[in-house]
Amino acid sequence: MKSNMSNGKLWGLLFLTVLLIAACSKNDDNEPQPEPKTKAPFLVNVMFAPGQLGDKGFADNVMEGVNALDDLDNLWGGDSIEVRFIAPRNLEDAQRWINTSATSYSTEGYERRLLVLTEPYMVDMFNLIKDVLQPTDEVLMLKMEEADITQVAQQFSLGNRVHGLNISASAPTRKFCQYIHQWIKQSEISESQFIQIPVYRLYEEVTYPYRDGMMETIQQEIGDRVQFIPIGLSSLEDIGIAMEGSSNTMVEAAFEAAQIAQFAAEGSGCPFVLVDLGAGNTGWDYYLLSQAYTSSPLKTLMLDAQKATRLDRFFISRDFGTALEEWVKEWMSKPAGAMARQVTHNDDYYYNDNIFEITEPN
């Protein structure tokens, strides 16, 4: 009986405690209630290429811009902007996302919406989205130039609702050309001798328009004696994740490509090579790291890479994150369709590099 009475007292105390908590938590009718959360007027959707987030380069830099835009609510207060992103596993996954978003695009009720496509080959997505875009919806394409954007606008009848944003690598590449000039002078290369420079990219140029300005700048500075050897390690079907016609990942493919490039440099005597392999840049760096204590002849210029103190290579890091953040802020401040068709940054505020000017001795 004593045990049952103790249990009864315990349950009574618990019941009383619940009543007290409920009474204390009850809202006073005279107290102001919080405003119901309203939908942000601006929606920004960013689509990354499959397998590229984590590349320590272009995609990660864009992601920094996405995070900065997502923080605008904290800086400005309220619900000013909603930012979403997708990193699909493959193109089919991206297409499913577009199809799924079609319904929400017509019902979500945002005042303004922006779709950011991070790679030029994503222009094929317009076949899926052109019919679900609302009159105030706009699209921003990265790494493209005005002629490309004009063609897209005309092809899909989008008028002034599609825009381009790019950062040129021409200025730092021009400094890189000083090293080529120096090598030509020291090697006593005849004026009639061709200079062959391999260019390693994710995709073949016939399927992917590269608008960084590196090859064009070298051609202008060195002349027609330069012959580029474009090498695409992947295809649009493999989408930059695997090597074309192989089970190798891009990291493995880049490591092997660097080995081949070194053999070629030893044979030809020309040490210069351009590298733009996205997430595959890591594989190239692994090879350079393995050669850190040897006299490797390679003179690598790597695009959209970061500084690495133990690696003997040049790099150009383009700050697409800052460029995207600035562009979207301006877009939010203007009416629909008022943004410039194309913005291309050329000054060193939007890029970083480790290519030093060569001072000729007097």
Side-chain angles (χ1 to χ4, degrees), residues 20-286:
L20 289 172
I21 292 174
C24 291
S25 62
K26 185 178 181 181
N27 289 323
D28 190 332
D29 292 338
N30 295 323
E31 290 182 359
Q33 300 301 308
E35 292 283 340
K37 187 174 181 179
T38 58
K39 187 180 295 295
F42 301 102
L43 171 65
V44 177
N45 270 315
V46 181
M47 178 178 285
F48 290 94
Q52 293 304 307
L53 272 180
D55 64 353
K56 301 179 182 179
F58 167 74
D60 286 1
N61 195 277
V62 172
M63 191 65 200
E64 290 180 10
V66 171
N67 290 332
L69 290 172
D70 199 34
D71 286 339
L72 286 183
D73 283 345
N74 297 329
L75 296 175
W76 294 0
D79 297 309
S80 56
I81 183 173
E82 183 174 345
V83 184
R84 304 175 184 175
F85 73 92
I86 177 176
R89 294 184 297 272
N90 47 47
L91 281 181
E92 290 74 20
D93 192 25
Q95 291 170 352
R96 280 193 295 270
W97 177 80
I98 289 290
N99 289 330
T100 302
S101 299
T103 303
S104 62
Y105 257 68
S106 60
T107 60
E108 284 181 341
Y110 295 91
E111 293 178 17
R112 302 269 304 285
R113 290 174 297 202
L114 176 70
L115 175 62
V116 181
L117 301 177
T118 57
E119 294 289 348
Y121 71 75
M122 292 179 180
V123 68
D124 292 339
M125 295 293 173
F126 280 96
N127 289 314
L128 298 174
I129 65 176
K130 61 184 178 65
D131 294 329
V132 299
L133 292 177
Q134 297 297 303
T136 57
D137 291 343
E138 296 176 74
V139 182
L140 175 65
M141 301 200 69
L142 305 187
K143 300 198 291 188
M144 296 185 75
E145 286 298 339
E146 185 167 2
D148 306 313
I149 301 302
T150 299
Q151 181 179 347
V152 171
Q154 293 174 350
Q155 181 179 351
F156 297 100
S157 302
L158 290 173
N160 58 353
R161 293 190 294 151
V162 58
H163 314 275
L165 176 63
N166 197 15
I167 300 174
S168 173
S170 293
T173 302
R174 189 164 288 109
K175 292 189 294 181
F176 181 72
C177 289
Q178 296 179 3
Y179 292 84
I180 303 177
H181 278 300
Q182 186 183 63
W183 172 78
I184 292 173
K185 184 176 181 180
Q186 293 175 350
S187 302
E188 298 180 350
I189 302 296
S190 66
E191 294 184 2
S192 60
Q193 187 173 345
F194 287 108
I195 302 168
Q196 294 185 326
I197 299 179
V199 183
Y200 288 89
R201 305 274 201 179
L202 272 181
Y203 315 111
E204 296 288 349
E205 292 184 3
V206 293
T207 59
Y208 185 105
Y210 290 97
R211 302 293 188 246
D212 48 66
M214 291 198 301
M215 292 170 60
E216 294 82 356
T217 301
I218 293 175
Q219 199 86 65
Q220 293 169 4
E221 293 294 313
I222 309 300
D224 293 336
R225 62 191 303 190
V226 174
Q227 291 182 336
F228 295 105
I229 307 174
I231 303 169
L233 294 189
S234 186
S235 65
L236 290 181
E237 289 74 20
D238 295 319
I239 215 63
I241 298 175
M243 185 177 182
E244 184 175 14
S246 170
S247 61
N248 285 358
T249 67
M250 278 308 303
V251 172
E252 294 169 332
F255 186 94
E256 294 179 359
Q259 285 181 307
I260 296 171
Q262 176 158 320
F263 293 145
E266 291 171 349
S268 68
C270 181
F272 302 102
V273 58
L274 306 183
V275 177
D276 175 22
L277 294 172
N281 283 345
T282 301
W284 195 282
D285 279 351
Y286 285 157

